[in-house]
Amino acid sequence: MVLVLMLLLSSVSTPPSPVCDVCARAVTQASRTRTLVFLLSSSKMAAAELSRLLRIPPALGLLLTVFQLLSSCSGDEQVPLILWTSEGASVPSQSAPSAGHVVEQQQLSLYLEKTLNVGPKNVLLFLQDKMSIEDFTVYGGAFGNKQDSVFPNLESALGSASSALVLPSVSWPSSNAVISQIQDHLETSPLYMDPETLSQLRLNASSAALLVFRLPYGNGADLMSAKEILSENDDVIGQVMSIMKTQAVPYTAIYTALRPSKGAPVHSWEVEAAAGRSLLQYRDKSRERERERQRKLKEGTKVYAPVEFKEGENACILLWAKGLSVSILRSGRWEEHDLTPSTFGEEVKPKLHGSSCDRTRSRLVLNYENVLDHRSFKLIFAMSQRHYKVSARRWFTLDAVELEYDGTKATFNGSRSIYAPAEYSYRCESVTNYRWPQLVPRSSKDPANQWRVNFQDLQIQGFNVSRGQFSYASDCAGFFSPGIWMGLMTSLLMVLVLTYGLHMILQLRTMDRFDDPKGPAISVPQTE
């Protein structure tokens, strides 16, 4: 599509623009074809010009249609990436790729490395769920209706930036690896933020920080809903830019997406049908694995007993979970391995060598083989208990969850969120390090930043195990949820209003004397 636009631009007698990164979409008509060009500038002075309407000879209509059909087969698996730096930051200029070129992961890494080596170390990553070039051309006010653009804050940020780079076509598997590439270069963990949290954070220009702002996208069924969501996302970008301006900290901002928003077209010829089937199979691999894992979990929840570690003849550690899985980030993709079949089951006997327990500390070691291409793999739960004077009782905490693989150790800290009275067991529906995390990496440079752990319906007890059974479970979810509190407060308010109304009704007094219009007027003495 970009190649077609360059051909059309060359056929029009217009002066060349000194700066332009072209994101375009062509629309053909029978007698007159208008070409829409969405311009995102890489300089400070020309970023406000986002579109230009061109007229082309009707003879190019057929050629434009052919190119549009050919380019639509390959342009749906790319997402745009926009990078800019704050005003005053000195960053070497980078030339955008040639028209029609798709930026792969290695080339994207070179772009990011060149910017982060010299540019500011505070990186703002606006990561949208889905995005394509068409989002800018459809909702960017490029048809002359500039007032309908949903990207005014993005345009303003590019206009005030010291440098900008627009990559119209980045392969979407490469865009998934943006976080890991920046994380490896800055040697820091990503912090998922929102504007309210950012306003309370004080950044330092000398220390590196990776702040990730997740942005949603419409479901595609309603065009207005997609436009409104993109407008709200642009408002979030504007709020973040305003906060960074007040803090006067230099930054590098990146706006991209995890997946393209435009679906792949379906064609009738056999080659495209075969390619479409293989692409769908590639996309559905993770979904099939997830469905298979869920099926196995449903089949196995009623049969297997908890993992039991005995010190002598008495059990001292119990572990049960509906699902245990680990994932590692490789080449921008998360590779998952399900540990449940190797841990639980009627005939499954997990290897527990290395486990230990005493009155103050316990350690459960689950040993595996050939996990995610690692010959040896260990999943370790380290727990401790001690007396707390404030509560006047003993509590046990899950101090750490460790992954040991081929001589490397990744450590997650869980003591802040996972705890229970020493006589109880601990249970939680979901224990992860990435979605409402209760496990966090011990440090920003720990290998745990490259791992994900997911424990479903976890129950663990490391002390005071009696007769091989779990004690009373202390659940991670509190008894009073926000919904319960809202219901209680609403009920209390209604009771107060009803009580006040009944009190006012009881205070009403009726007259005991009435005036007869035909008789003499009633004389009420002042003494009564």
Side-chain angles (χ1 to χ4, degrees):
M1 187 68 68
V2 179
L3 177 60
V4 175
L5 293 176
M6 293 191 64
L7 292 173
L8 298 177
L9 288 172
S10 62
S11 64
V12 181
S13 59
T14 56
S17 174
V19 287
C20 63
D21 290 308
V22 182
C23 303
R25 182 189 181 191
V27 180
T28 60
Q29 298 178 356
S31 60
R32 179 180 299 175
T33 304
R34 293 184 178 182
T35 304
L36 173 65
V37 181
F38 186 82
L39 299 174
L40 289 176
S41 173
S42 60
S43 73
K44 182 177 180 180
M45 302 299 297
E49 292 295 331
L50 293 177
S51 60
R52 185 174 297 173
L53 195 62
L54 303 175
R55 293 185 178 181
I56 64 173
L60 292 178
L62 179 60
L63 178 63
L64 180 60
T65 304
V66 174
F67 271 104
Q68 184 175 1
L69 290 174
L70 294 177
S71 62
S72 64
C73 300
S74 61
D76 294 327
E77 294 307 313
Q78 295 112 36
V79 299
L81 185 144
I82 306 173
L83 184 148
W84 71 94
T85 55
S86 59
E87 185 176 3
S90 58
V91 177
S93 61
Q94 302 189 65
S95 58
S98 57
H101 177 72
V102 178
V103 178
E104 300 295 340
Q105 182 173 348
Q106 184 175 3
Q107 187 178 5
L108 178 61
S109 179
L110 294 177
Y111 278 117
L112 297 176
E113 182 178 358
K114 187 175 181 181
T115 301
L116 297 177
N117 282 338
V118 184
K121 304 302 181 183
N122 290 297
V123 179
L124 310 177
L125 178 59
F126 299 97
L127 196 60
Q128 196 163 281
D129 292 341
K130 297 180 180 180
M131 183 167 60
S132 295
I133 292 295
E134 286 74 16
D135 294 322
F136 292 99
T137 58
V138 174
Y139 306 113
F143 287 98
N145 50 345
K146 196 63 180 176
Q147 67 278 4
D148 294 337
S149 174
V150 298
F151 302 102
N153 294 305
L154 178 60
E155 298 173 29
S156 176
L158 291 171
S160 61
S162 61
S163 64
L165 175 66
V166 177
L167 305 178
S169 300
V170 178
S171 62
W172 68 265
S174 301
S175 64
N176 283 336
V178 170
I179 293 182
S180 61
Q181 292 178 3
I182 300 176
Q183 179 179 339
D184 294 340
H185 187 84
L186 298 179
E187 296 183 352
T188 183
S189 299
L191 298 176
Y192 291 87
M193 309 284 290
D194 52 41
E196 296 180 358
T197 308
L198 179 62
S199 61
Q200 302 174 2
L201 184 66
R202 292 295 176 263
L203 299 176
N204 190 353
S206 59
S207 60
L210 174 56
L211 309 181
V212 182
F213 299 86
R214 290 298 301 269
L215 304 177
Y217 187 78
N219 55 14
D222 188 358
L223 293 178
M224 291 303 296
S225 65
K227 182 177 180 180
E228 293 173 356
I229 291 177
L230 288 175
S231 179
E232 293 177 357
N233 294 345
D234 185 74
D235 292 339
V236 172
I237 295 177
Q239 296 175 19
V240 173
M241 295 297 102
S242 301
I243 295 173
M244 296 300 296
K245 188 175 181 180
T246 57
Q247 294 193 12
V249 177
Y251 61 87
T252 300
I254 301 174
Y255 182 31
T256 186
L258 294 174
R259 296 180 65 87
S261 60
K262 182 180 178 182
V266 179
H267 301 281
S268 59
W269 50 84
E270 296 180 358
V271 176
E272 287 297 325
R277 286 193 298 268
S278 62
L279 180 59
L280 289 176
Q281 292 173 0
Y282 174 76
R283 285 178 172 178
D284 292 339
K285 283 183 179 179
S286 60
R287 297 179 181 176
E288 291 178 359
R289 288 196 299 266
E290 180 65 20
R291 286 195 294 266
E292 181 67 17
R293 187 171 67 87
Q294 293 293 340
R295 184 184 63 82
K296 292 181 179 179
L297 290 177
K298 290 180 180 179
E299 293 178 353
T301 51
K302 298 181 180 180
V303 296
Y304 56 73
V307 174
E308 183 182 34
F309 174 72
K310 294 183 177 181
E311 189 74 26
E313 297 181 357
N314 299 323
C316 59
I317 303 177
L318 293 178
L319 171 70
W320 189 91
K322 184 184 293 184
L324 297 176
S325 64
V326 293
S327 305
I328 189 172
L329 184 62
R330 288 175 178 167
S331 301
R333 298 179 57 193
W334 288 100
E335 299 181 9
E336 184 180 9
H337 184 86
D338 189 7
L339 302 175
T340 310
S342 304
T343 309
F344 303 101
E346 290 184 349
E347 299 181 356
V348 177
K349 295 182 179 180
K351 300 177 182 179
L352 304 179
H353 53 270
S355 303
S356 61
C357 63
D358 54 33
R359 298 187 61 182
T360 58
R361 295 186 179 275
S362 61
R363 182 180 178 90
L364 178 63
V365 181
L366 301 175
N367 298 270
Y368 305 94
E369 296 179 355
N370 298 324
V371 175
L372 296 171
D373 298 332
H374 297 294
R375 301 181 63 181
S376 64
F377 187 89
K378 296 181 180 181
L379 177 60
I380 305 172
F381 297 87
M383 295 166 283
S384 64
Q385 70 160 332
R386 63 191 182 97
H387 184 268
Y388 289 85
K389 295 182 179 179
V390 176
S391 59
R393 68 180 307 170
R394 301 185 69 86
W395 293 74
F396 93 87
T397 58
L398 180 61
D399 296 331
V401 174
E402 301 175 356
L403 306 179
E404 289 189 9
Y405 51 97
D406 297 340
T408 306
K409 179 185 292 187
T411 305
F412 296 94
N413 185 11
S415 59
R416 295 184 179 181
S417 304
I418 303 177
Y419 53 87
E423 300 82 8
Y424 293 175
S425 63
Y426 174 84
R427 182 196 173 277
C428 194
E429 184 178 358
S430 177
V431 176
T432 67
N433 68 313
Y434 59 94
R435 184 176 60 247
W436 299 292
Q438 290 135 305
L439 302 174
V440 294
R442 177 155 293 182
S443 65
S444 60
K445 297 182 180 180
D446 196 283
N449 292 281
Q450 302 295 327
W451 286 87
R452 284 181 176 179
V453 294
N454 184 15
F455 307 147
Q456 295 184 5
D457 203 359
L458 174 72
Q459 186 170 3
I460 188 171
Q461 183 173 354
F463 304 94
N464 302 313
V465 177
S466 177
R467 293 178 293 181
Q469 297 180 355
F470 282 107
S471 301
Y472 178 83
S474 175
D475 202 286
C476 61
F479 178 76
F480 289 98
S481 64
I484 294 177
W485 278 114
M486 184 177 296
L488 291 175
M489 296 302 295
T490 304
S491 302
L492 179 60
L493 180 61
M494 294 179 64
V495 169
L496 291 176
V497 173
L498 180 61
T499 303
Y500 178 75
L502 291 175
H503 176 73
M504 296 299 295
I505 291 175
L506 293 176
Q507 294 299 319
L508 293 177
R509 295 184 179 180
T510 59
M511 295 186 299
D512 55 354
R513 298 181 183 181
F514 300 92
D515 192 4
D516 187 1
K518 296 182 179 180
I522 297 176
S523 177
V524 180
Q526 296 295 329
T527 58
E528 293 186 5

